[in-house]
Amino acid sequence: MAQKIRIGVLVSGGGTNLGAIIDASASNRIDAKVVFVGSDNPGAYGLKRAQKHGIPTFVVDYQAIIKETRGRPLEDMVPEDLDLERVLARQGIAPASSDRMKIERYFCTRAIAEAALLREMAAYPFDLLVLAGFMRVLTPYFIDRVNTDPSQPRIMNIHPALLPSFPGTDGYGDTYRYGCKVGGCTVHFVDYGEDTGPVIGQKAFEIVPDDTIDTVREKSVKLEWQLYPECIQLFAEGRLKVVSKTYTLENGAEINRKIVEIST
Ligand code: GAR
């Protein structure tokens, strides 16, 4: 049997995707082992799931951190290695943008929380970081410290919609309310946007007139529980490569796209 890769998982809630990954690992359906589970939410049931399996857990309480920073100067609290200008540039925020102060504060508070996450994670070397219902947007400060080799992204996310449609916190709800005939889920490598980055895999299901939001969610989570382990296994087998492709139209215009190639 192939050597198992080490995966770290971040969750904010119930952790049913985490459960599917733990089961897939326990039954050797994936060559991967969960080495830690972290959360921004002390009440996340996903932490209990992990503990039941003897997996180490930690919490970085974002809400408490954000509360603690309110009304206080942040200079002494931000991590020493935070290069705010670089983070803002990577995020595409212009130096003269309105609301600059507010934006700077947002990124400083997130970097404080992310530095705490990185400190906790440092205890558990890992090959792949898996976001399984982690409802916080990670900033370039964090992402660049995990993706130390830009050609080898190693943070994955699952989203309950066919991206790039319906990013955000309620992918199924948004799909259902829009009246889509098809819904689905997406696993992708994480870049600097919210639920954006090169797509690794997607699964789709039909939405029929009698469907309710609950039946849609039910159909979809079942597919998530299959899709995430499948994508983790492709990573474990070293079969994923992000490549940039350029396609030239007849009028000379160039179309650039980043795709994940899956080798056989
Ligand atoms: C899942 O449906 C996942 O796709 C979604 O959160 C849920 C977590 O459920 N993630 C997002 O919406 C990310 N934007 P779980 O805790 O039971 O795995």
Side-chain angles (χ1 to χ4, degrees):
M1 196 182 131
Q3 176 142 13
K4 292 200 168 210
I5 61 159
R6 301 158 299 181
I7 56 180
V9 183
L10 296 179
V11 299
S12 295
T16 61
N17 276 286
L18 166 69
I21 294 166
I22 293 174
D23 288 350
S25 169
S27 58
N28 291 326
R29 275 180 289 125
I30 56 174
D31 301 317
K33 177 180 187 294
V34 180
V35 292
F36 70 79
V37 173
S39 183
D40 60 318
N41 169 18
Y45 184 71
L47 292 168
K48 290 220 168 73
R49 273 184 209 274
Q51 285 152 7
K52 277 187 199 157
H53 288 85
I55 298 165
T57 61
F58 60 81
V59 175
V60 171
D61 189 340
Y62 267 56
Q63 223 175 16
I65 290 172
I66 293 164
K67 207 167 150 196
E68 211 183 299
T69 57
R70 222 163 266 157
R72 288 178 57 184
L74 300 181
E75 291 86 65
D76 296 339
M77 300 170 86
V78 290
E80 265 175 29
D81 60 350
L82 171 66
D83 181 343
L84 188 58
E85 290 311 317
R86 190 185 149 103
V87 167
L88 295 179
R90 297 218 154 189
Q91 203 75 60
I93 292 161
S97 57
S98 60
D99 272 348
R100 175 83 185 190
M101 294 271 280
K102 228 165 130 181
I103 293 170
E104 283 185 5
R105 252 195 111 74
Y106 170 85
F107 282 98
C108 285
T109 52
R110 294 318 179 267
I112 293 168
E114 290 175 348
L117 269 183
L118 290 165
R119 275 196 302 276
E120 296 285 355
M121 286 160 45
Y124 313 102
F126 62 92
D127 304 296
L128 173 68
L129 182 63
V130 165
L131 310 182
F134 184 65
M135 304 309 261
R136 300 280 176 181
V137 177
L138 295 166
T139 80
Y141 173 77
F142 180 92
I143 292 169
D144 292 350
R145 278 163 183 74
V146 176
N147 288 339
T148 43
D149 175 355
S151 69
Q152 298 282 326
R154 56 181 196 129
I155 311 176
M156 273 186 197
N157 180 42
I158 190 159
H159 183 71
L162 293 171
L163 290 172
S165 293
F166 310 120
T169 54
D170 192 11
Y172 295 139
D174 293 340
T175 303
Y176 181 73
R177 283 185 291 274
Y178 198 85
C180 293
K181 306 286 191 204
V182 172
C185 51
T186 305
V187 170
H188 62 99
F189 282 121
V190 168
D191 67 9
Y192 300 144
E194 180 178 11
D195 297 318
T196 63
V199 170
I200 301 165
Q202 292 184 304
K203 282 191 193 284
F205 60 89
E206 201 182 342
I207 301 175
V208 296
D210 285 347
D211 267 320
T212 65
I213 191 128
D214 292 328
T215 59
V216 163
R217 183 168 293 117
E218 211 174 297
K219 287 184 196 181
S220 193
V221 287
K222 279 194 189 139
L223 292 183
E224 287 190 42
W225 301 335
Q226 293 169 19
L227 180 64
Y228 223 167
E230 283 173 18
C231 292
I232 291 169
Q233 181 59 14
L234 289 172
F235 184 95
E237 290 171 5
R239 291 170 60 193
L240 302 178
K241 190 168 170 211
V242 180
V243 293
S244 295
K245 295 241 174 196
T246 303
Y247 177 76
T248 310
L249 297 177
E250 270 173 26
N251 66 7
E254 283 194 342
I255 294 182
N256 297 307
R257 58 195 199 120
K258 246 185 197 175
I259 62 164
V260 179
E261 272 184 354
I262 303 174
S263 57
T264 45

